[in-house]
Amino acid sequence: MDTPTPAALHEAVLGWYDDHARELPWRGVQASPWSVMVSEFMLQQTPVARVLPVHEAWLDRWPTPADLAADTTGEAVRMWGRLGYPRRALRLHAAAVAIVERHDGAVPSSYDDLLALPGVGDYTAAAIASFAFGRRHVVLDTNVRRVLARAVSGVELPAPAVTRTERDVATSLLPDDDATAATWAVATMELGALVCTARQPDCGACPIARMCAWRAAGFPAYDGPPRRGQAWAGTDRQCRGRLMALAREHDIVTTAQAEAAWPEAGQRERCLAGLVDDGLLTQITPGRWALPG
């Protein structure tokens, strides 16, 4: 198989995206930069189907960064619901406050300004600049990385963390003009989410199957560093989740309620202390906790 040219990959992937892109509220000309930003925080390690109703509820309640910044962090955590990793709600609230203070309430369009916001790293800054403002940036999420690893590098899965070589490959494939580069970013992401999935890639539906280095090599299995799965049952994450569910449902969480939610005392107390340290709960008095006010 000849090495595919960037132009050939662009034509195939962009054509496929034109026909198969999902209609999502944070995409298209109707989506505000704030909608895009909220979606990027929520979609971190969380499937689209779970994000959709929460994203809609957030935009209904807080249609601008200023609306969120004027509310409490506790309400942000409450509205985060069961998306998981609720510290993202605190970071999004802090980012909204910074947008009001530094940018007159408008989500900034430049990568550097976005990167300077609380809770925004390289991927999120590049994604917002690209998807909300049509800027030319390398956007490397899990799906994009998997597509490029297979199609170009001939391996089943990328390394656990982004490498310099991986970024160089992505940069070399980035279309020259801003608008096409922004569409390329979301198109490769969509291809990874819908077709070139981690466990069951649908090569028969893939627009670049005939150009795919991994397929041409006979689908060699991943042989890199071990990839750790995330346990759930009995973990601190599960315990924290149950305690946070109580806090969202009740104005005050008592010791008795916490004990009923998680009987193991040592783990429960450790998780309660951690939630207080993380700013997700406030201890009002001994044995009583609530969302931050």
Side-chain angles (χ1 to χ4, degrees):
M1 184 195 77
D2 294 334
T3 302
T5 65
L9 288 169
H10 296 162
E11 181 180 4
V13 173
L14 294 175
W16 173 87
Y17 183 72
D18 283 343
D19 294 333
H20 296 89
R22 290 171 292 180
E23 292 186 8
L24 297 172
W26 47 83
R27 288 184 184 163
V29 295
Q30 81 287 348
S32 68
W34 176 237
S35 173
V36 174
M37 183 170 182
V38 171
S39 76
E40 286 301 327
F41 272 73
M42 290 183 173
L43 287 165
Q44 296 166 18
Q45 300 181 304
T46 307
V48 166
R50 290 181 58 200
V51 166
L52 281 168
V54 183
H55 178 272
E56 181 181 8
W58 269 60
L59 269 291
D60 285 345
R61 179 164 180 174
W62 300 305
T64 69
D67 294 317
L68 177 58
D71 214 331
T72 66
T73 57
E75 282 306 297
V77 172
R78 189 188 306 278
M79 288 289 290
W80 197 256
R82 303 185 67 85
L83 284 183
Y85 303 100
R87 277 176 287 189
R88 291 180 292 174
L90 297 181
R91 292 168 185 153
L92 186 51
H93 186 279
V97 171
I99 288 170
V100 171
E101 293 174 347
R102 304 173 195 171
H103 303 286
D104 296 323
V107 176
S109 60
S110 81
Y111 170 88
D112 289 339
D113 285 341
L114 288 162
L115 191 62
L117 296 174
V120 175
D122 168 75
Y123 162 76
T124 304
I128 296 170
S130 179
F131 303 153
F133 300 102
R135 301 295 176 85
R136 182 179 185 271
H137 290 285
V138 170
V139 181
L140 286 174
D141 87 326
T142 301
N143 290 312
V144 175
R145 295 181 64 214
R146 186 170 57 253
V147 168
L148 298 185
R150 291 174 177 172
V152 180
S153 303
V155 295
E156 181 184 16
L157 298 170
V162 177
T163 65
R164 176 60 183 272
T165 298
E166 187 179 0
R167 186 170 291 279
D168 289 345
V169 168
T171 301
S172 72
L173 293 173
L174 200 61
D176 291 333
D177 68 283
D178 282 8
T180 307
T183 306
W184 166 255
V186 71
T188 50
M189 188 177 296
E190 191 81 331
L191 184 62
L194 299 182
V195 175
C196 193
T197 58
R199 295 184 179 179
Q200 293 183 313
D202 186 0
C203 297
C206 181
I208 55 174
R210 63 180 179 82
M211 309 179 220
C212 178
W214 184 52
R215 180 171 179 263
F219 305 108
Y222 174 75
D223 63 356
R227 304 175 71 87
R228 294 168 52 194
Q230 291 192 337
W232 174 249
T235 63
D236 282 5
R237 282 183 57 224
Q238 186 183 28
C239 178
R240 286 166 62 103
R242 288 191 184 175
L243 295 170
M244 288 302 299
L246 281 177
R248 289 191 301 270
E249 294 166 6
H250 304 280
D251 290 337
I252 303 294
V253 175
T254 65
T255 296
Q257 289 171 317
E259 289 174 346
W262 199 267
E264 204 285 303
Q267 188 176 25
R268 182 183 65 249
E269 294 304 316
R270 180 175 69 249
C271 289
L272 282 167
L275 290 168
V276 171
D277 288 344
D278 290 342
L280 292 166
L281 289 180
T282 297
Q283 185 164 14
I284 303 170
T285 60
R288 299 169 79 240
W289 297 267
L291 294 175

